[in-house]
Amino acid sequence: MRLVHLDLKGAAPRVSYLEQLFPLLSQLGANGVLMEYEDTFPYKGDLEVLKSPYAYSEEDIERIQQLAELHKLEVVPLVQTFGHVEFILKHERYRHLREVERFPNSLNPHHPAARGLLKSLLAQVMERHRRSTWIHIGADEVGTGLSALARGWVPWHGHRGSVRPRGWGLAPLTYLPSQSLGTLAPVSPASPTTTGPFLAKYAESGFGAVWFASAFKGTTGPAQSRPPLSHHLRNHLSWLRVLEALPRLAPLRFQGIVLTGWQRYDHYSVLCELLPVGIPSLAICLQTLVNGGFTEETKRKVLDALGFQSLQLEQSTCEGRGGFPGAEIYHMVEQVHGHLKESVLKVLEDESAIKGWFSPYHRKRQFGNPRNMETFGSRVLKLHEDWESFVGELRAQLDRVYFPDAVEEWMEENVSPYLDQLRDLVRDYR
C-alpha cells in the first residue's frame, strides 16, 4: 500500500479539486488516500459542534469515495483519538476530558466519558466509509499519564478493545507512541541502524506487520511555504534502505507506507505548504518508491506527469508551465515568496528619495515637496498596480481550490504583511 495523506485540518480542498487530483495520484503510483478529516467531517447529533463552517457534506464524503474507487484508490479515514484532538477539546462541552486541564492537545483516556466520545466519533466516520477496510486512529504526540486518573490506573492486560459498530469492523492503524515502544519517526531520514532496534521491539510486542510513515511536505517548519525537494527525496531513499534491510532486522511483514503531507502542525498553528505547492515533491517521492530509487528514468516520468521541462532538487525549483492540478498556484506562490517581500522592502528601505523626502515623519504629518515626491511616485504606483493585479489573480486561483476561510488565512499570513505596507505608502502618497 502507498497511501497519500491528505491533511484536511488546514486547507481542505474542494471536492472539485480532488476530482482533478485523484487521477494524478493514481498515475504517480499511489493506491490509497489517508483522509485526516478532523473538523471537516459532517458530524451529527452531539458531535455537530465539532464541524467547521466549511465541513464536507455527507454527499461530499460519498463523492470522494466514488472518485477514489474510480481511480483505484483505497480510502482510509483517519480519526485522531488521543493526541491532536484540539478540535474537540477546545470546546467547553469537552474541556473536562483534557489530560491536562489547560491544554487542549490530549484526551484523558481514563475519564469515564472518553470511551463514549471515541465510540461516537469512530462510529459516525465508519458509517460513512463502508467501502474501507482500514481506519487510522492517529495517536501521535500524545501527552498521557499526567492526570490524577492516570496516576491511579492499574493496567489490565487481559482486556482488548475493538472497533465494530453494527457488527462490522475495520482493521486499525495507529502511530506508535514514544511512551511505549519508541517511535518510527515519520519525518526523520531513517537508516537500518537506527530503525532496527525499534522494529525488533515491535516484533517482540506481538506485531506481525508494520507500516512506515514518510513525508512529502509539512515537516520542515510550521510556516514553511515550499517543501525542500532534496530533503524529502532523501527521506524516501532512507526508507527504501530500511525496507530492503527489513528481513534481517525483524520478523515483520511490510504492509505499506503513508506519505504524510501535514497542512498544519496542529489545530492552532498556521498553514504550511499548500497541497498544490507540494505536488512536485509528492510526485518525486511517490515515483522514487515505485521505481526503487530516483534514477534519470524516474526523473523523466515525474517531469512528464507534471508537465515540467526540468527540476533542480537542491534549489527546490521546477522549470516549465506545469500541467498538474493547481500548477498556477504553485507558480504564483513562488512569485509571492520570491519577489513580493523583496520588491516592497526595496522601495521602503533602499529608495533614497522616499527615505529623504517621504519618511514616516513626513507621512504622519502629511507634508512633503511635490518635486521630490514625483521622482519616485510613478515607480511606486506601478509596483502597487502590478502586485494588486497579481494578487487578485492569485486569490481567484485559490478560490477554485479552497474554501474562503483557507484563502483568507493564507493571504493574511503570506501577502498582507508586505502588500499592506505598499498600500499604506501609496495611500499616503496620494
Side-chain angles (χ1 to χ4, degrees), residues 231-247:
H231 171 87
H232 292 294
L233 172 58
R234 287 195 300 272
N235 183 228
H236 287 80
L237 292 173
S238 297
W239 280 116
L240 281 175
R241 289 197 297 274
V242 173
L243 179 56
E244 290 165 3
L246 183 60

Side-chain angles (χ1 to χ4, degrees), residues 180-414:
S180 57
L181 298 172
T183 180
L184 269 179
V187 301
S188 304
S191 72
T193 304
T194 59
T195 309
F198 293 137
L199 292 173
K201 286 183 180 179
Y202 301 149
E204 291 165 10
S205 300
F207 290 96
V210 66
W211 294 61
F212 296 146
S214 61
F216 71 91
K217 78 175 188 74
T219 61
T220 54
Q224 183 79 9
S225 60
R226 293 180 296 162
L229 299 181
S230 59
H231 171 87
H232 292 294
L233 172 58
R234 287 195 300 272
N235 183 228
H236 287 80
L237 292 173
S238 297
W239 280 116
L240 281 175
R241 289 197 297 274
V242 173
L243 179 56
E244 290 165 3
L246 183 60
R248 66 175 186 273
L249 294 176
L252 290 168
R253 180 168 53 90
F254 172 67
Q255 198 147 22
I257 186 167
V258 176
L259 293 87
T260 62
W262 309 98
Q263 192 54 77
R264 293 189 200 278
Y265 273 40
D266 70 22
H267 185 78
Y268 287 92
S269 68
V270 298
L271 296 170
C272 46
E273 306 101 310
L274 294 174
L275 181 56
V277 180
I279 285 180
S281 177
L282 174 60
I284 290 168
C285 296
L286 256 176
Q287 278 291 294
T288 295
L289 294 176
V290 169
N291 294 289
F294 191 68
T295 63
E296 282 300 315
E297 176 67 9
T298 306
K299 182 177 178 180
R300 185 190 63 77
K301 289 179 179 178
V302 168
L303 292 173
D304 288 348
L306 299 181
F308 285 133
Q309 276 72 58
S310 63
L311 61 88
Q312 306 298 324
L313 288 173
E314 293 304 324
Q315 290 76 34
S316 296
T317 57
C318 301
E319 282 81 39
R321 185 173 180 179
F324 62 91
E328 300 86 357
I329 292 174
Y330 171 85
H331 286 303
M332 296 180 92
V333 168
E334 276 196 327
Q335 288 292 310
V336 166
H337 288 283
H339 302 293
L340 175 58
K341 178 181 178 180
E342 177 188 355
S343 66
V344 171
L345 293 184
K346 185 176 176 63
V347 164
L348 294 175
E349 297 177 5
D350 297 342
E351 180 69 63
S352 62
I354 290 178
K355 294 182 77 172
W357 280 274
F358 203 53
S359 70
Y361 181 86
H362 292 92
R363 293 168 62 184
K364 183 177 180 180
R365 289 160 180 78
Q366 297 187 333
F367 81 98
N369 188 327
R371 190 190 72 166
N372 298 86
M373 290 175 65
E374 286 177 4
T375 63
F376 64 80
S378 60
R379 290 196 303 278
V380 169
L381 293 174
K382 180 67 165 62
L383 181 68
H384 173 247
E385 180 185 349
D386 289 348
W387 275 118
E388 290 288 9
S389 174
F390 175 88
V391 167
E393 177 58 26
L394 172 58
R395 184 181 285 274
Q397 292 292 344
L398 290 171
D399 280 333
R400 293 189 179 101
V401 175
Y402 295 112
F403 298 103
D405 59 337
V407 175
E408 200 57 41
E409 179 183 351
W410 195 90
M411 297 293 281
E412 282 195 29
E413 289 285 346
N414 297 275

Side-chain angles (χ1 to χ4, degrees), residues 170-183:
L170 284 77
L173 299 172
T174 183
Y175 295 119
L176 287 175
S178 57
Q179 287 88 342
S180 57
L181 298 172
T183 180

Side-chain angles (χ1 to χ4, degrees), residues 1-6 22 25 30-35 64 68 73-77:
M1 295 293 292
R2 291 183 291 271
L3 304 183
V4 174
H5 172 225
L6 298 179
F22 281 8
L25 298 185
N31 51 23
V33 285
L34 179 65
M35 305 291 287
I64 288 169
L73 298 170
E74 168 124 11
V75 174
V76 178

